[in-house]
Amino acid sequence: MGVHQYTSTHTFDNLPDGGRITLQRNGDDSAGTAVIREHLQDIQQLFTAGDFRIRAMVHDRVVPGTAVMSERRERLRFTYRKLPHGGEVQIHTTDAEALAAVHAFLEFQRIDHGAHGMKHNP
């Protein structure tokens, strides 16, 4: 991704209609913020297409929830938004099975990234 994980805050929040992934620099860093925003926009586009392979490459294993999220991609909406020092990707769905998969995906992210020193929100 190009941004040091220990100088950024990554959160993975469950929401009633999906979830939210945020990534922000911990201080003013316009170059780092630009890299984060580009990364999250790429994630939004890949996820919209049902492509979650990057998650498996980053985590070196199959990530829970991604198979269902890929199968039910037409029932999911991924929205990118800028934040002051980075950005976020919001995930929305009205499909119960897709929602359960999103929450499993986010739970895995919280646990895995938490092990790498990133902040996270349950």
Side-chain angles (χ1 to χ4, degrees), residues 6-85:
Y6 298 110
T7 59
S8 301
T9 299
H10 214 165
T11 63
F12 305 91
D13 301 311
N14 288 353
L15 299 174
D17 68 339
R20 174 179 44 235
I21 301 165
T22 63
L23 180 57
Q24 295 197 78
R25 297 291 291 143
N26 293 337
D28 290 331
D29 174 7
S30 59
T33 296
V35 169
I36 286 172
R37 289 176 176 163
E38 183 178 322
H39 171 69
L40 289 174
Q41 288 174 71
D42 289 345
I43 292 296
Q44 184 266 330
Q45 291 172 359
L46 289 168
F47 284 12
T48 296
D51 185 350
F52 298 93
R53 291 175 295 184
I54 191 170
R55 300 290 84 200
M57 288 186 291
V58 168
H59 298 282
D60 197 29
R61 61 186 160 261
V62 174
V63 176
T66 56
V68 172
M69 289 167 67
S70 183
E71 291 168 7
R72 300 178 93 72
R73 69 182 165 273
E74 285 90 26
R75 296 181 176 125
L76 291 161
R77 189 180 72 219
F78 300 91
T79 307
Y80 166 78
R81 182 174 75 99
K82 285 183 184 179
L83 296 175
H85 297 285

